[in-house]
């Protein structure tokens, strides 16, 4: 999910998942100094233990089933998902005065991170700023359990939407509609204003993109294959392969963009201090703490104000060191830092577990394949070794004019020969690992079909969209 530290699923200690919803009041705790701020990030970013659990966050564009070019009003989406409303602990009048979706009206309201819907499995349903819906699963003990629960949730969700003439579209960037924000909370207004300083890309990201986000345990504290350090390096090394293989957003305004993943094009054009990977040549925790403190502050939460904008150019480190500076800002707290962390969007985000953010949304039940492949490559020692060997040539220096693996993957996808070779090897390793994991036939069959239709032919889902256009 993109926004809101107030919605958290606990992965710590590999214990039973605990979902807690706290309202958007982040001005709590004592003021921070630089040492304590770095220590706070260092302490919460990676929860160590034997890697076992897996989760998924699925974002979907919501479209009119008859005319996908039509804008879909917030009220129509809210009515369609009202069946998943629960007693959320916030009185209705409070939700309409700043704790809900910010659209004051009678009738159903969109589910938000501070007021989510709940699907049959316990997965949470929230809305992104442009009306995209996101399903956030509970952590599962196995890939099979996760696929079973999430598939059942999607059957129910799609049925409710169909009653209202709506459908879920698994595409990385809306191919037809311009970005249009339907959530009006102060945090979204501040984010929009922040991103507008860098051009149109932030609005496109907020209001027109959708992804498959795979969530995996960080790992233990060893230096071996199950250790979080190696898993951190592996995920970044194979990231371009995942971008290319599952690229599914070649269109904007109904026309080809020249990128197979225009969603990744959007990310590449945004604030690099919050979208590029952190430094990878040191300790992951220290690297993430430095990355977080040096990122610019996007907004300053204030439940008593409708203006959450931050001073231009202010990094969180600046805020901590100045202690509020000339008095325009209060001193930052640990709650402010937690909120700031939720506004950072690198390809792999440490949130206690690892959150993979580089994969475009997939049509239908296509989300199963990136989930299975990512999980297999990290869960199986032989597969992870094979994947690292396969992608090593991608990172072995750059020739003049080379944009680097991340950009090449997003622009060319499997049409890049080196990325295509690495993809074939990674998928073969993952497929063998799934057999060793005794994955159900439905999962291995989906991976086999994807390999046959795309990987073996140097294609990706974006090619289908281009041919249809």
């Amino acid at each position: 999910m993109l926004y809101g530290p107030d919605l958290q699923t606990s992965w710590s200690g590999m214990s039973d998942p605990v979902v807690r919803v706290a309202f958007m009041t982040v001005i709590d705790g004592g003021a921070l100094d630089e040492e304590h701020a770095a220590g706070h990030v260092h302490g919460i970013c990676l929860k160590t233990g034997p890697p076992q659990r897996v989760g998924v966050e699925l974002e979907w564009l919501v479209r009119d089933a008859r005319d996908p070019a039509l804008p879909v009003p917030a009220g129509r989406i809210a009515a369609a998902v009202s069946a998943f409303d629960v007693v959320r602990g916030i009185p209705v009048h409070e939700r309409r005065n700043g704790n809900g979706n910010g659209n004051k009206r009678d009738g159903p309201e969109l589910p938000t991170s501070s007021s989510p819907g709940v699907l049959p499995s316990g997965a949470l349903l929230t809305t992104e700023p442009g009306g995209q819906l996101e399903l956030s699963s509970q952590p599962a003990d196995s890939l099979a359990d996760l696929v079973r629960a999430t598939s059942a949730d999607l059957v129910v969700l799609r049925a409710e939407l169909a009653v209202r003439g709506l459908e879920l579209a698994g595409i990385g960037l809306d191919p037809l509609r311009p970005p249009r924000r339907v959530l009006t909370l102060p945090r979204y207004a501040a984010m929009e204003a922040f991103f507008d300083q860098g051009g149109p890309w932030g609005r496109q990201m907020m209001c027109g993109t959708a992804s498959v986000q795979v969530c995996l345990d960080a790992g233990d504290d060893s230096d071996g294959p199950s250790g979080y350090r190696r898993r951190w390096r592996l995920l970044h090394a194979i990231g371009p392969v995942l971008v290319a293989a599952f690229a599914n957003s070649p269109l904007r305004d109904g026309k080809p963009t020249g990128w197979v993943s225009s969603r990744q094009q959007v990310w590449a054009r945004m604030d690099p201090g919050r979208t590029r990977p952190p430094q990878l040549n040191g300790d992951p925790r220290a690297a993430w703490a430095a990355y977080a403190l040096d990122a610019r502050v996007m907004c300053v939460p204030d439940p008593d104000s409708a203006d959450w904008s931050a001073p231009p150019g202010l990094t969180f480190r600046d805020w901590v060191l100045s202690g509020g500076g000339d008095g325009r800002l209060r001193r930052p707290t640990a709650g402010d830092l937690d909120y700031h962390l939720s506004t950072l969007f690198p390809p792999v985000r440490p949130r206690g577990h690892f959150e993979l953010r580089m994969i475009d949304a997939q049509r239908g039940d296509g989300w199963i394949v990136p989930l299975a492949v990512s999980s297999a490559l990290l869960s199986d020692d032989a597969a992870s070794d094979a994947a690292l060997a396969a992608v090593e040539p991608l990172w072995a220096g750059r020739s003049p004019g080379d944009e680097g693996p991340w950009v090449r993957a997003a622009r060319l996808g499997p049409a890049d020969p080196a990325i295509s070779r690495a993809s074939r090897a990674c998928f073969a390793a993952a497929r063998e690992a799934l057999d060793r994991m005794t994955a159900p036939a439905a999962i291995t069959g989906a991976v086999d079909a994807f390999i046959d239709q795309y990987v073996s032919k140097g294609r990706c889902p974006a090619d289908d969209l281009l041919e249809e256009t």
Side-chain angles (χ1 to χ4, degrees), residues 64-76:
D64 183 276
R66 292 186 176 182
D67 187 350
L70 286 177
V72 179
R76 190 176 173 194

Side-chain angles (χ1 to χ4, degrees), residues 153-425:
D153 283 342
L154 285 171
V155 168
V156 176
L157 177 58
R158 286 175 173 136
E160 291 294 330
L161 290 167
V163 171
R164 300 280 178 168
L166 300 175
E167 64 180 8
L168 298 176
I171 304 173
L173 177 72
D174 198 311
L176 298 173
R177 299 174 296 184
R180 172 177 164 269
R181 185 160 58 90
V182 301
L183 293 179
T184 59
L185 284 170
R187 61 183 179 269
Y188 300 125
M191 289 174 180
E192 188 174 76
F194 176 92
F195 285 129
D196 282 350
Q197 300 170 38
W201 310 104
R203 291 189 183 219
Q204 290 185 28
M205 179 277 291
M206 292 175 63
C207 302
T209 61
S211 66
V212 173
Q213 297 175 20
V214 178
C215 300
L216 301 165
D217 276 330
D220 58 39
D221 199 23
S222 73
D223 291 322
S226 63
Y228 70 84
R229 299 172 188 86
R230 189 175 189 274
R231 288 162 68 86
W232 171 257
R233 291 193 299 271
L234 173 62
L235 287 173
H236 285 90
I238 66 173
V241 165
L242 299 176
V243 169
F246 300 108
N248 190 34
S249 52
L251 305 172
R252 182 185 293 110
D253 298 326
K255 301 174 184 177
T257 64
W259 296 62
V260 291
S261 177
S262 301
R263 174 180 166 271
Q264 285 299 125
Q265 179 201 24
V266 167
W267 286 112
R269 297 291 189 263
M270 289 170 58
D271 176 15
R274 63 183 357 97
T275 60
R276 60 170 169 77
Q279 292 294 322
L280 301 177
N281 56 359
D283 176 71
R285 286 174 165 151
W288 180 244
Y291 182 99
L293 294 184
D294 290 333
R296 289 187 295 160
V297 177
M298 181 180 286
C299 53
V300 179
D302 182 353
D304 296 323
S305 173
D307 182 6
W308 288 19
S309 59
L314 180 77
T315 69
F316 202 90
R317 192 185 303 275
D318 294 336
W319 191 7
V320 169
L321 292 175
S322 70
D326 59 5
R328 289 183 299 166
L329 288 179
R330 53 181 168 73
R331 293 184 63 84
T333 68
D336 292 314
L337 181 51
D338 289 339
Y339 190 92
H340 175 67
L341 293 174
S342 78
T343 70
L344 306 179
F345 313 120
V348 181
R349 184 164 65 174
R351 301 184 65 197
H353 56 280
F354 290 136
E355 179 186 80
L356 283 63
R357 304 183 53 84
M358 75 287 287
I359 302 167
D360 281 358
Q362 302 292 295
R363 287 169 149 181
D365 291 326
W367 56 272
I368 294 172
V369 180
L371 172 63
V373 169
S374 303
S375 180
L377 291 178
L378 256 73
S379 300
D380 185 275
D381 293 353
S384 64
D385 288 341
L388 278 174
V391 301
E392 184 177 2
L394 300 181
W395 300 99
R398 293 189 194 178
S399 58
D402 185 357
E403 298 176 296
W406 288 105
V407 175
R408 292 206 320 272
R411 189 188 296 275
L412 301 174
D416 181 283
I419 291 175
S420 184
R421 285 193 296 272
S423 294
R424 290 195 296 271

